[in-house]
Amino acid sequence: AKALAEILGGNGAESSGTVNTLEYVDLSLCDITHVGAQHLAQALRVNTSVKTLKLRDNYLLGDEGAVALADMLGAAESSGTVNTLEYVDLSLCDITHVGAQHLAQALRVNTSVKT
């Protein structure tokens, strides 16, 4: 997840002189942990191309990963940065009411996520 996050965040694209236009990221069933989710969230704070993020069936993501993603989703709106995410799938990621509350708060202010 860290290597992909570096590419999504622009590190790989900038060094190669290319522009990142990746719109669909499916990391379902990839054993993404909360640490991986933190790396992805950090990258998605600056990424302006990803519209779909599927993290389904990553049981190790849990509440810590959900909080990291929620912080990213909520921060984009409050900081005035562009968030292009429209679809986020976090089903079956062992997220409890704690992580769900953070996600709900972020989605109250985030205007880009539709589903």
Side-chain angles (χ1 to χ4, degrees):
K2 185 177 180 181
L4 177 60
E6 289 176 359
I7 292 169
L8 291 176
N11 293 346
E14 288 173 7
S15 63
S16 67
T18 62
V19 175
N20 186 346
T21 58
L22 185 66
E23 292 184 4
Y24 184 94
V25 177
D26 188 349
L27 296 172
S28 300
L29 294 163
C30 287
D31 293 326
I32 302 295
T33 66
H34 67 280
V35 174
Q38 290 166 350
H39 287 295
L40 289 169
Q42 184 177 2
L44 290 169
R45 285 179 187 265
V46 296
N47 180 285
T48 57
S49 66
V50 175
K51 293 182 180 180
T52 299
L53 177 63
K54 292 180 123 186
L55 293 171
R56 182 181 176 91
D57 290 308
N58 283 293
Y59 295 99
L60 301 173
L61 194 140
D63 288 331
E64 285 184 75
V67 168
L69 292 166
D71 288 347
M72 174 270 303
L73 290 169
E77 298 299 319
S78 63
S79 68
T81 58
V82 176
N83 186 320
T84 56
L85 276 175
E86 295 177 0
Y87 177 89
V88 180
D89 184 354
L90 294 171
S91 56
L92 302 172
C93 287
D94 201 27
I95 296 170
T96 69
H97 68 283
V98 174
Q101 286 175 333
H102 285 271
L103 289 165
Q105 269 185 310
L107 293 174
R108 282 188 194 108
V109 296
N110 184 294
T111 58
S112 67
V113 176
K114 310 290 187 250
T115 58

